[in-house]
């Protein structure tokens, strides 16, 4: 059994928790969760999403960390080794390749949206130092940004450079340092925004929208979206958490750290929702109107009224960029680790290749808002189509394969050793049968509804 990885190791249990939470908490919680909740009618969607976190997300979170730590390499090679050891087919490596492809697609549009947050952060900074005009009509400001391919490309490029800058320096020096300082700060800002939301007078209504289920809204596509969001927000299904698991010291208890990460991520999403929807409602925006611009068009309205709103707006969007940054790092890491193992490239060169490719792919998202805005793939814009294919289709398929691999290919001896040797039988068996049967079955049912079979 390998006890360390050639790519480096987390220095402690806390370092892993911060890094994995840094991966999980990002635009998925603060940008994507509110806007797709809004598009899917609120309460019922949120409850199904929470159910998916519990019944699908948690068992797969454990599985990914187990596979990663046992293999100690990039997902593709960890899976190859573990398949060989178990005398199973190497076709399982397909799971690793699927993850790498999903990672490229997600990173490509993720970086564009992170570019929006950078743009907003700097716009507030300029306003603060008296060099920029205030955002008076947030809707128009957002539209103008999307209309400018040049600006979008610039911010997308800057964000990609920031990400490659960290990944190039490797696990201890790069990733760990970035997450330890900045994640707690974002949480504090969210709590302040929550305090503001509670005082808007629309808090009750927002709570109702988020948690009072209207079951008539439930449909196949809505469940697909809820499950996709559970995967996306927990960074599961594309071997990112598996990659981080490879750098986890052997004595760390996987169920404990996995649960901590899942709970932290869920709490952040719910707080983000509770902070954002009161603002949306109190400014007369229909909470069901949705759209990827939701936070960019609603929050500036609040910032323009709050005391110190400009400074706050700046801090909020810059810290959101940081949250996106720590997630993007984990989107880039699996492919980079694989290139380092499979080629003669140094870590720096490998990370640069991954970033360059993802940046180019991201141009399709950039253009989907302006010069290619007419292009529609199955009724969706290019960005929505990329997001849909990666998050709602590829991640669940990746999750399904991960669960089956951990549950059926790895021996019970191995999984038990990795999870926690002292775990009571009932707890181990609960994980095992969830992972073997229940979770895969749930994913299959949802995927079947996607294909119109159910
Ligand atoms: N979990 C991240 C978020 O919620 O913003 C996005 C993400 C990161 C998805 C890493 C997938 C991944 F592997």
């Amino acid at each position: 059994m390998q006890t360390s990885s050639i790519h480096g190791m987390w220095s402690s249990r806390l370092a892993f928790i911060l890094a994995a939470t840094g991966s999980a908490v990002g635009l998925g919680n603060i940008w994507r969760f509110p806007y797709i909740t809004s598009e899917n009618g609120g309460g019922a969607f949120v409850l199904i999403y929470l159910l998916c976190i519990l019944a699908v997300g948690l068992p797969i979170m454990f599985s990914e960390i187990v596979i990663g730590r046992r293999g100690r390499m990039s997902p593709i090679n960890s899976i190859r080794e573990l398949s060989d050891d178990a005398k199973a087919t190497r076709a399982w490596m397909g799971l690793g390749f699927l993850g790498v492809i999903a990672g490229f697609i997600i990173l490509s549009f993720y970086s564009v949206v992170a570019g929006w947050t950078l743009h907003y952060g700097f716009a507030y900074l300029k306003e603060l130092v008296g060099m920029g005009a205030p955002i008076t009509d947030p809707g128009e400001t957002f539209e103008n940004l999307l209309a400018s391919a040049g600006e979008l490309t610039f911010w997308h490029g800057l964000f990609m450079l920031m990400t490659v800058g960290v990944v190039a320096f490797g696990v201890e020096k790069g990733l760990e340092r970035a997450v330890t300082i900045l994640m707690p700060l974002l949480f504090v800002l969210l709590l302040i925004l929550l305090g503001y939301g509670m005082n808007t007078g629309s808090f009750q209504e927002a709570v109702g929208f988020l948690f009072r289920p209207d079951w008539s809204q439930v449909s196949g596509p809505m469940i697909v979206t809820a499950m996709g969001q559970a995967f996306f927000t927990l960074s599961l299904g594309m071997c990112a958490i598996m990659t981080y698991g490879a750098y986890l010291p052997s004595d760390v208890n996987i169920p404990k750290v996995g649960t901590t990460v899942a709970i932290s991520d869920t709490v952040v999403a719910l707080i983000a929702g509770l902070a954002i929807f009161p603002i949306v409602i109190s400014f007369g925006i229909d909470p069901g109107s949705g759209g990827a611009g939701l936070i960019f068009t609603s929050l500036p309205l609040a910032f323009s009224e709050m005391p110190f709103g400009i400074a706050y707006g700046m801090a909020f969007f810059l810290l959101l960029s940081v949250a996106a940054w720590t997630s993007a790092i984990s989107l880039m890491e699996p492919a980079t680790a694989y290139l380092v193992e499979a080629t003669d490239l140094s870590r720096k060169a490998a990370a640069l290749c991954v970033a360059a490719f993802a940046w180019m792919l991201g141009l399709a998202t950039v253009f989907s808002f302006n010069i290619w805005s007419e292009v529609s793939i199955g009724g969706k814009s290019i960005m929505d189509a990329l997001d849909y294919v990666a998050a709602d289709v590829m991640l669940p398929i990746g999750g399904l394969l991960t669960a089956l691999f951990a549950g059926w290919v790895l021996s019970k001896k191995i999984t038990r050793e990795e999870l926690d040797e002292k775990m009571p039988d009932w707890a181990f068996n609960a994980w095992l049968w969830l992972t073997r049967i229940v979770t895969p079955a749930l994913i299959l049912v949802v995927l079947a509804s996607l294909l119109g079979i159910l």
Side-chain angles (χ1 to χ4, degrees):
M1 192 196 334
Q2 290 276 356
T3 52
S4 68
S5 155
I6 58 159
H7 305 287
M9 294 292 286
W10 304 115
S11 62
S12 65
R13 180 188 122 100
L14 181 66
F16 172 82
I17 293 181
L18 285 170
T21 310
S23 164
V25 173
L27 295 172
N29 307 60
I30 295 164
W31 160 72
R32 200 174 189 271
F33 174 68
Y35 104 75
I36 62 169
T37 296
S38 147
E39 285 182 341
N40 285 280
F45 174 84
V46 174
L47 293 182
I48 295 174
Y49 150 81
L50 290 175
L51 204 76
C52 289
I53 297 269
L54 218 79
V56 178
L58 217 48
I60 294 180
M61 170 81 79
F62 294 2
S63 303
E64 284 208 17
I65 308 176
V66 163
I67 299 171
R69 184 162 78 179
R70 193 68 180 193
R72 291 277 182 224
M73 279 183 284
S74 73
I76 297 174
N77 284 327
S78 288
I79 293 168
R80 194 199 55 209
E81 285 283 293
L82 296 174
S83 305
D84 285 356
D85 289 350
K87 309 212 166 22
T89 159
R90 282 191 171 184
W92 284 104
M93 285 164 75
L95 161 59
F97 285 108
L98 183 78
V100 166
I101 297 169
F104 271 116
I105 298 177
I106 296 177
L107 182 58
S108 76
F109 69 79
Y110 202 84
S111 167
V112 175
V113 178
W116 302 348
T117 68
L118 275 177
H119 168 88
Y120 273 72
F122 280 100
Y124 278 111
L125 176 66
K126 278 204 323 221
E127 191 183 338
L128 195 66
V129 295
M131 283 169 56
I135 298 177
T136 45
D137 182 343
E140 196 185 303
T141 306
F142 186 63
E143 268 176 29
N144 289 344
L145 172 65
L146 293 193
S148 167
E151 278 227 38
L152 292 183
T153 307
F154 169 77
W155 293 106
H156 162 51
L158 180 65
F159 182 79
M160 199 62 92
L161 276 178
M162 285 165 54
T163 307
V164 78
V166 177
V167 176
F169 285 101
V171 172
E172 303 92 345
K173 285 202 215 94
L175 312 193
E176 205 172 305
R177 210 181 288 159
V179 292
T180 315
I181 316 164
L182 299 165
M183 291 308 294
L185 222 58
L186 174 74
F187 194 64
V188 173
L189 276 207
L190 260 188
L191 287 181
I192 299 176
L193 197 62
L194 174 65
Y196 178 86
M198 290 173 102
N199 282 317
T200 55
S202 303
F203 191 65
Q204 291 291 339
E205 215 178 311
V207 172
F209 178 75
L210 276 172
F211 298 112
R212 203 171 305 126
D214 169 3
W215 298 114
S216 70
Q217 302 262 356
V218 178
S219 65
M222 184 244 243
I223 298 175
V224 170
T225 315
M227 195 169 75
Q229 173 63 13
F231 276 101
F232 188 91
T233 192
L234 293 176
S235 304
L236 295 176
M238 56 149 281
C239 310
I241 295 294
M242 197 184 290
T243 313
Y244 277 13
Y247 317 148
L248 183 65
S250 304
D251 57 350
V252 175
N253 181 301
I254 291 178
K256 275 196 198 143
V257 288
T259 310
T260 308
V261 173
I263 292 179
S264 317
D265 183 78
T266 310
V267 167
V268 173
L270 295 179
I271 292 187
L274 286 172
I276 290 162
F277 280 106
I279 294 171
V280 166
I281 296 168
S282 72
F283 282 95
I285 303 173
D286 170 13
S289 63
L294 185 69
I295 64 162
F296 299 95
T297 51
S298 63
L299 292 184
L301 293 170
F303 299 153
S304 67
E305 284 205 344
M306 282 165 86
F308 309 108
I310 299 170
Y312 189 86
M314 175 194 79
F316 180 84
F317 281 115
L318 289 182
L319 279 174
L320 181 53
S321 315
V322 171
W325 194 21
T326 55
S327 299
I329 290 165
S330 73
L331 285 162
M332 207 181 262
E333 180 65 20
T336 304
Y338 178 64
L339 279 184
V340 170
E341 287 166 10
T343 65
D344 289 336
L345 293 178
S346 66
R347 177 170 256 276
K348 288 193 179 67
L352 262 178
C353 287
V354 174
F357 187 66
W359 180 80
M360 278 191 300
L361 194 60
L363 294 180
T365 291
V366 164
F367 297 150
S368 77
F369 297 108
N370 34 71
I371 51 182
W372 292 348
S373 61
E374 301 298 307
V375 180
S376 137
I377 307 170
K380 294 180 190 299
S381 70
I382 299 174
M383 169 166 143
D384 286 347
L386 289 172
D387 177 315
Y388 173 75
V389 166
D392 294 357
V393 182
M394 294 175 83
L395 296 187
I397 295 177
L400 172 69
L401 295 174
T402 303
L404 292 176
F405 187 81
W408 295 102
V409 176
L410 295 185
S411 69
K412 283 198 264 183
K413 181 174 169 296
I414 290 184
T415 44
R416 184 145 203 168
E417 233 169 65
E418 289 297 333
L419 279 172
D420 178 3
E421 266 174 315
K422 291 193 242 47
M423 203 176 197
D425 281 344
W426 69 264
F428 176 73
N429 285 325
W431 170 81
L432 186 68
W433 291 103
L434 271 172
T435 306
R436 283 185 163 180
I437 307 273
V438 181
T439 305
L442 287 174
I443 299 176
L444 273 177
V445 169
V446 176
L447 286 177
S449 89
L450 187 100
L451 295 174
I453 297 174
L454 285 179

